[in-house]
Amino acid sequence: MSMTHKPRLSFWQIWNMSFGFLGIQFGWALQMANMSAIYEYLGAKADKIPFLFLAAPLTGLIVQPIIGYFSDHTWSKTLGRRRPYFLVGAILSTICLFIMPQSSTLWMAAGTLWILDTSINVSMEPFRAFITDKLPDDQRTRGFSMQSVFIGLGSVVASALPWMMTNWFSISNKLVDGEHIPASVRYSFYIGAVAFITAVLYTIITSTEYPPADISERQKAKESKKGFGGGLGEIFHSIATMPKRMRKLALVQFFTWPGLFLMWFYYTPAVARNIFGATSEKDALYTKGVEFAGLTLSFYNVVTFIFAFFLPIIAARIGRKYTHMVCLLCGAAGLISVGFIHNQYFLYGSMTGVGIAWASILSMPYAMLGGCLPENKVGIYMGIFNFFIVLPEIIASLFFGKIMSSLLNNNRLLAVEIGGCLMILAAFLVLRVNENEE
């Protein structure tokens, strides 16, 4: 079966091939909900937190297109094209998730996060190409939406795990002598490690791949002689010759993701300090605020999980482009509203908007992108497309700390609102995208 002739897949086949994202999202959600607090537990100041996130996106900028290139040129009779990378990334990520809560210094935590993000990207980047490989164009929205379902479900559980450890299993959420990170957070990371490897293995076992029809035996031999330098040349050539539709979608991504990064950088400590009134990370109110923020982050992923089921229906009626624009505006409203909230429970309303946007961010750009990519370069182009996710994170990590200290007076809530404004800009940039354009 070649990839040129793609049969329609059943609901359960799409379910199986997307299930691994449940585990991948445990890795992302645990770090996004807890890393800022972990850094503050280990003594970081607010204006230093973006810098501590810098190494991971720098690595992603390099790793993603390289993994995409190699997965495009891989074929194993046992594991296929993309699944070898699912497996290696999952094993490395699992190890890092066990190590992270043992961090005793800022640099140990930041270094582990660097390796963890790299490992997650090794698994995740080929998952995007996997959908494009296996599904015909009219099923890609459903395929990427199914990934959103599992991302939402994984995030719901992972973000709430510290709260669950404390309130359901009576595991301490307080720092005790000799500990750097509360036990509730440590156990959450251990559970996430097991979930990551189990979910990815499920997809590897239950899904198959089509042999890449574009590579004959002679071509395979030629590709194998290119070497690393030849691969880099192909990556740079692919960047220079990106399809027009991809260029426009890349600009949308570039302004979408800073809103999410600013939320992940600052939302949790902002809730603890600005809404719960904690005066320092050692204040008991700080831990309560962190746990409640985790619950609201979990809630927006509940919204993502539910809304993702309706995305293909909405997109079929009004089109992918307008669906994505409306969803981004919902997310912007949610982020901006955080700055006007004094009652902690109103945060659930803000996170509803974020959850709607998140479901679309995880699916619509990739569904719009897939149809304009050559089949023999899907992995490379998916990796390059992710440049426009990690570049904003690098910029934020390098420069936003200075903005926080010199212009925003370390106001964490204001940083989250700025993210919402950038998401509004991204929403209107979606209107430039023409889905009939190559």
Side-chain angles (χ1 to χ4, degrees):
M1 175 70 70
S2 79
M3 293 199 306
T4 303
H5 305 288
K6 301 172 186 175
R8 293 176 61 82
L9 301 187
S10 69
F11 173 88
W12 290 112
Q13 286 174 310
I14 297 174
W15 171 285
N16 289 341
M17 65 186 288
S18 303
F19 191 82
F21 247 104
L22 177 67
I24 289 172
Q25 196 56 30
F26 265 81
W28 287 126
L30 279 169
Q31 61 164 287
M32 292 307 176
N34 295 285
M35 282 310 302
S36 292
I38 286 174
Y39 285 149
E40 291 201 356
Y41 284 130
L42 295 172
K45 303 302 181 185
D47 60 333
K48 303 299 182 186
I49 286 177
F51 180 76
L52 292 168
F53 280 92
L54 179 60
L58 280 173
T59 305
L61 192 68
I62 300 168
V63 168
Q64 290 173 358
I66 292 174
I67 293 298
Y69 169 79
F70 281 116
S71 70
D72 281 343
H73 298 88
T74 294
W75 181 253
S76 161
K77 291 182 179 179
T78 304
L79 290 176
R81 197 178 203 184
R82 314 294 180 185
R83 288 178 296 162
Y85 300 91
F86 299 171
L87 180 60
V88 171
I91 292 170
L92 294 174
S93 298
T94 299
I95 294 169
C96 289
L97 286 168
F98 274 112
I99 293 173
M100 178 65 77
Q102 304 298 324
S103 299
S104 56
T105 65
L106 275 174
W107 294 112
M108 180 178 176
T112 305
L113 180 63
W114 182 354
I115 301 170
L116 174 61
D117 269 15
T118 302
S119 303
I120 294 175
N121 278 314
V122 171
S123 273
M124 187 188 72
E125 198 281 334
F127 257 101
R128 300 294 191 192
F130 194 42
I131 293 292
T132 303
D133 287 347
K134 293 205 63 174
L135 294 179
D137 185 65
D138 65 336
Q139 283 197 305
R140 284 177 186 155
T141 299
R142 182 170 297 280
F144 286 114
S145 295
M146 186 66 79
Q147 288 188 347
S148 296
V149 167
F150 285 117
I151 290 170
L153 180 59
S155 296
V156 168
V157 179
S159 298
L161 272 175
W163 182 90
M164 293 162 63
M165 293 294 101
T166 299
N167 292 274
W168 292 2
F169 302 103
S170 300
I171 294 173
S172 175
N173 61 1
K174 296 179 174 60
L175 286 174
V176 300
D177 291 341
E179 291 182 353
H180 299 280
I181 298 169
S184 58
V185 175
R186 295 202 310 273
Y187 282 103
S188 297
F189 273 80
Y190 301 153
I191 292 170
V194 175
F196 196 122
I197 190 70
T198 302
V200 171
L201 284 174
Y202 178 86
T203 287
I204 291 172
I205 293 168
T206 60
S207 300
T208 59
E209 296 188 65
Y210 307 141
D214 56 288
I215 301 180
S216 66
E217 290 302 320
R218 182 177 296 179
Q219 286 174 313
K220 288 178 183 177
K222 183 179 178 181
E223 292 291 343
S224 67
K225 295 177 182 178
K226 273 189 172 183
F228 188 74
L232 286 179
E234 185 169 338
I235 290 169
F236 286 121
H237 179 264
S238 298
I239 293 172
T241 57
M242 280 191 294
K244 290 181 180 179
R245 192 195 316 176
M246 181 176 173
R247 292 178 186 272
K248 294 177 181 178
L249 285 167
L251 192 61
V252 174
Q253 295 287 80
F254 186 82
F255 287 101
T256 296
W257 281 84
L260 296 169
F261 290 129
L262 291 176
M263 180 185 74
W264 290 327
F265 287 169
Y266 291 114
Y267 174 78
T268 297
V271 170
R273 293 174 181 271
N274 296 67
I275 296 177
F276 276 73
T279 57
S280 76
E281 66 277 3
K282 298 186 183 299
D283 190 335
L285 289 173
Y286 186 87
T287 300
K288 289 183 179 179
V290 167
E291 287 183 347
F292 188 84
L295 281 179
T296 60
L297 292 173
S298 179
F299 177 78
Y300 92 65
N301 286 292
V302 171
V303 175
T304 296
F305 171 71
I306 296 171
F307 189 71
F309 285 106
F310 296 96
L311 265 178
I313 300 171
I314 298 170
R317 294 201 173 188
I318 68 172
R320 294 165 174 167
K321 175 169 73 174
Y322 293 108
T323 299
H324 193 48
M325 182 190 73
V326 171
C327 290
L328 287 178
L329 290 174
C330 289
L335 291 176
I336 292 171
S337 69
V338 170
F340 299 92
I341 287 174
H342 302 287
N343 185 320
Q344 66 200 54
Y345 295 102
F346 288 171
L347 290 170
Y348 287 111
S350 299
M351 291 298 105
T352 297
V354 174
I356 290 170
W358 186 226
S360 186
I361 290 166
L362 295 170
S363 55
M364 288 299 113
Y366 298 97
M368 287 187 279
L369 176 67
C372 70
L373 301 182
E375 287 191 346
N376 64 329
K377 291 189 175 183
V378 171
I380 289 179
Y381 275 122
M382 285 294 181
I384 293 170
F385 194 54
N386 284 332
F387 277 2
F388 302 96
I389 295 174
V390 297
L391 278 174
E393 186 178 4
I394 291 169
I395 293 169
S397 298
L398 284 173
F399 302 111
F400 204 80
K402 184 65 173 177
I403 294 172
M404 279 291 288
S405 60
S406 60
L407 297 179
L408 304 183
N409 196 28
N410 284 332
N411 187 325
R412 297 160 179 82
L413 282 180
L414 190 55
V416 175
E417 290 182 286
I418 290 172
C421 294
L422 291 172
M423 204 171 281
I424 291 174
L425 177 58
F428 287 104
L429 286 171
V430 177
L431 296 175
R432 300 175 61 248
V433 177
N434 181 355
E435 290 194 65
N436 295 318
E437 187 176 51
E438 293 300 320

